[in-house]
Amino acid sequence: MLNIFKPKPLLSKEDQEFQHASYAWLLKHFGGNDFYKDAQLILPTKDFFPAQVNSPEEAAQTVFNQVKKYAGLEDWSCTLIAQEEDPNLVVAPTLVVRGIENNPSGTFSVDENNEAVITYNPNLSASPMEMVATFAHELSHYLTSTAPEPPPGGWDNWEFATDICASFLGFGVFMANAAFSFNQYTSVDSQGWQSSRAGYLTEAEYSYSLALFLTLKDMPFEKALRHCDPNIKKNLKIAKKELTNNSIVRELHNVKYQPPHSK
């Protein structure tokens, strides 16, 4: 008899397989003690981000340095640069300019001197959760750019694997919470609602990636749940059930770490 009441999986089989393959790729090239012993679940608390700052620019640099440290990249040379301010698209209370895109939240590149450069949108100063997620993503770009082989599916999938890497480094709560926001805005002569999307994965995909991190690290899910938005909490609980006694977890535990330059 068909079980018509069987719950729908959080992700499609294809998306699950990509997450599993991405984690295997990350564990192979960036795992070992760096993951199982040293990687922390980074949380939006004063224990992780205690600094008091005097300006948005100082805040960005301070948060960037903290994210670098928690990602294990503290000694990696990298320059942080603020982008130009986004254009003001509201020119009157009922008139909004269309067809002009805001700057991206962040970018990663290597300049002509082979120096890594990360840029960020100054508007992130109003959203610390998204700022941390952005820096985690761009620093994951930096880390995964050193992989000796492409991510699953080739370099066309690099952005998706990079977002998974940010969760792999411990920033899954930030990545999931920053995935989508829908907020009220108010100015002197206008008000309304605005939505924004951060990252390349869906809320469900970020939740699953966070669940993989917690399961592989044998961490209690409650440690993350208390800091997650309602949608993420729901997704995370579903992912936890799906990963319980799942053979993929055992398979990932068996992935052998290959240190750089090893044969």
Side-chain angles (χ1 to χ4, degrees), residues 65 91 121 209:
N65 292 340
V91 296
N121 192 317
S209 185

Side-chain angles (χ1 to χ4, degrees), residues 104-106 119-132 134-135:
S105 294
T119 74
Y120 71 96
N121 192 317
N123 287 344
L124 292 178
S125 61
S127 178
M129 187 75 69
E130 189 174 344
M131 175 178 283
V132 172
T134 297
F135 290 156

Side-chain angles (χ1 to χ4, degrees), residues 64-176:
F64 182 69
N65 292 340
Q66 290 168 325
V67 173
K68 276 187 72 180
K69 180 179 71 172
Y70 299 138
L73 303 176
E74 191 171 18
D75 296 329
W76 289 40
S77 177
C78 186
T79 301
L80 182 68
I81 299 176
Q83 302 166 4
E84 295 291 332
E85 294 281 352
D86 285 338
N88 183 5
L89 304 184
V90 180
V91 296
T94 59
L95 184 60
V96 177
V97 178
R98 300 287 186 184
I100 298 179
E101 294 186 1
N102 289 337
N103 293 325
S105 294
T107 66
F108 167 77
S109 62
V110 177
D111 66 18
E112 62 275 8
N113 298 318
N114 206 33
E115 293 289 334
V117 176
I118 287 175
T119 74
Y120 71 96
N121 192 317
N123 287 344
L124 292 178
S125 61
S127 178
M129 187 75 69
E130 189 174 344
M131 175 178 283
V132 172
T134 297
F135 290 156
H137 174 88
E138 301 308 338
L139 286 167
S140 293
H141 255 312
Y142 193 4
L143 177 65
T144 55
S145 70
T146 67
E149 63 180 353
W155 289 111
D156 286 346
N157 288 333
W158 192 18
E159 293 289 359
F160 303 105
T162 296
D163 267 351
I164 293 172
C165 180
S167 293
F168 173 83
L169 292 176
F171 297 93
V173 170
F174 289 90
M175 303 305 293

Side-chain angles (χ1 to χ4, degrees), residues 27 36 216 247-257:
L27 287 166
Y36 287 110
L216 288 169
S247 63
I248 188 60
V249 176
R250 294 190 293 274
E251 291 173 17
L252 289 174
H253 273 304
N254 289 329
V255 172
K256 300 299 183 183
Y257 171 54

